[in-house]
Amino acid sequence: VDLDRFTETVLLTEEESGKIGSLPFDDVFENDWYYNYILTSYRNGWMYGISSNTFAPNEPAARDMAVTVIYRLASRPSSDNVSPFTDVTENDWYFESVTWAAQYGIVNGYGNNLFYSSTAVSRQELAVLLYRYAQYKGYNTDNKSTRHFANS
């Protein structure tokens, strides 16, 4: 994955995001190192927190949350709205996100047609989701352009 291109088009540096307002969350403070990143994500409609006043920055993200963020990054494209998962129904808040991601091969289930939406997304699962999203967007995913990090 060309992480530089992905980072440049999706995530902004602190300098680029600037202070463009305040957040409604009681658990995110201006002196937190991630404040401007959450602010940018909130202002762009990628992430809204887990309630009107709670972001939960130290809680693990669930699979439904991760897929929804990617769906929002893609500008909420339409899909056939057919769930391949028996545990994802039209009444679920993440239905459109998951059906879109499944339709375009960005997300798969755990077998037996199950998605396990509330299961925490692991680092490797998130890497796969981002890689598949990059492919969906047509980004260069040739591993020759990937930087190697000590913890990857």
Side-chain angles (χ1 to χ4, degrees), residues 15-121:
E15 295 79 28
E16 291 171 318
S17 67
K19 288 216 168 178
I20 53 176
S22 61
L23 291 166
F25 309 120
D26 297 334
D27 57 352
V28 178
F29 306 97
E30 287 190 34
N31 61 342
D32 291 332
W33 69 267
Y34 46 79
Y35 180 86
N36 282 332
Y37 300 106
I38 292 175
L39 179 63
T40 299
S41 296
Y42 179 77
R43 294 290 183 216
N44 282 295
W46 303 327
M47 300 179 82
Y48 298 117
I50 63 169
S51 75
S52 62
N53 64 346
T54 305
F55 189 82
N58 298 310
E59 297 296 320
R63 288 170 50 83
D64 54 8
M65 294 175 181
V67 170
T68 298
V69 170
I70 293 171
Y71 175 70
R72 291 174 181 163
L73 286 171
S75 300
R76 303 171 192 247
S78 61
S79 73
D80 60 15
N81 284 331
V82 175
S83 177
F85 309 114
T86 57
D87 58 345
V88 177
T89 68
E90 291 182 19
N91 296 327
D92 295 320
W93 65 267
Y94 47 84
F95 177 78
E96 290 180 16
S97 305
V98 173
T99 57
W100 165 79
Q103 179 180 344
Y104 291 97
I106 296 168
V107 70
N108 296 321
Y110 278 99
N112 296 324
N113 298 324
L114 296 172
F115 180 68
Y116 294 141
S117 60
S118 61
T119 301
V121 66

